[in-house]
Amino acid sequence: MNDPGLRERKKAATRAALTDAAIRLAQERGVEHVTAEAIADAAGVSPRTFHNYFANKEEAILAAMWDFVREVVAAIRARPARESAMEAMRHVADEMIATSVDSIDDLATRMRLMDNSPTLSRRNDALKEEVGRSVIEALAERSGTDPDRDLYPRLLTASLHAALIATIEVSRGDKTGRSLADLLTEAFDQLAAGLREPLR
């Protein structure tokens, strides 16, 4: 008798191997010089197996990033109801940093790849419409606002996205001597304070 749990774990492992191979090859060769066949070979599976999981190489490269966003949405919805949208998001970020620093670093890697690949950037824009909506809806539920009529959930989502990008860019410069976790904590502090101009 087949074990459904084992089958799902094997599928998840294959998918992870494909995304890891896709990102590694994209970093080594550049996105435009990577093929689905090369990704499949690097992951030790057939091209047919690759296409059972992804339509193209761009999906494989971006998959883990958007899986990460989906995990964030699920974590926001699991936070205690008494927490505000900002509080819930901050707790989720703290937990992600404490347990998944590699995920944050991987996210930074994918963002760098997008900077250098118009094709990847276009595909990411399409995924952003699909997955980004779920973030807005989760924060709207948390704040008691309407995702289509109220500005707040969209402004908060955009602010959090901008904070993450700014944190990664400053961290990438490696001129602060501070960890990504410390920088992200400061970003949340500044947002919570209304982004006041620092004292000179």
Side-chain angles (χ1 to χ4, degrees):
M1 184 174 179
N2 291 330
D3 179 353
L6 177 61
R7 187 165 60 248
E8 290 305 312
R9 289 194 295 274
K10 285 183 176 179
K11 287 173 64 176
T14 299
R15 190 174 187 277
L18 285 167
T19 59
D20 289 346
I23 293 161
R24 185 175 69 255
L25 291 176
Q27 287 181 280
E28 293 172 358
R29 306 178 186 180
V31 175
E32 279 67 30
H33 301 291
V34 176
T35 64
E37 290 73 17
I39 295 170
D41 184 60
V45 301
S46 69
R48 181 177 179 179
T49 297
F50 173 91
H51 288 292
N52 286 339
Y53 289 85
F54 302 108
N56 50 52
K57 64 184 179 182
E58 289 82 12
E59 280 191 9
I61 294 168
L62 293 168
M65 179 169 77
W66 291 110
D67 286 348
F68 177 76
V69 175
R70 290 183 181 97
E71 289 174 12
V72 169
V73 170
I76 292 171
R77 288 190 163 126
R79 294 298 306 173
R82 66 178 179 276
E83 292 178 356
S84 69
M86 178 66 85
E87 288 172 332
M89 191 64 238
R90 182 163 196 155
H91 282 298
V92 169
D94 288 344
E95 289 170 6
M96 290 285 182
I97 290 171
T99 61
S100 309
V101 174
D102 288 345
S103 295
I104 301 290
D105 290 338
D106 287 346
L107 183 61
T109 297
R110 288 163 179 74
M111 291 174 74
R112 286 194 290 272
L113 287 173
M114 281 186 290
D115 288 343
N116 299 315
S117 171
T119 303
L120 197 62
S121 183
R122 284 194 296 273
R123 177 57 190 155
N124 183 64
D125 287 343
L127 278 169
K128 192 186 298 182
E129 287 295 319
E130 171 195 339
V131 185
R133 171 74 185 187
S134 65
V135 179
I136 292 170
E137 289 176 347
L139 294 176
E141 289 171 15
R142 173 72 50 173
S143 59
T145 53
D146 187 306
D148 295 313
R149 294 187 301 173
D150 296 319
L151 282 172
Y152 182 76
R154 291 178 180 274
L155 284 172
L156 182 56
T157 300
S159 298
L160 294 170
H161 182 248
L164 180 59
I165 291 175
T167 299
I168 289 172
E169 287 177 347
V170 171
S171 175
R172 189 187 305 171
D174 200 25
K175 295 180 180 179
T176 65
R178 299 168 61 194
S179 70
L180 186 62
D182 285 343
L183 290 169
L184 195 55
T185 295
E186 181 185 334
F188 272 95
D189 286 343
Q190 291 199 28
L191 286 177
L195 207 60
R196 296 172 183 166
E197 185 172 340
L199 294 175
R200 299 184 183 183

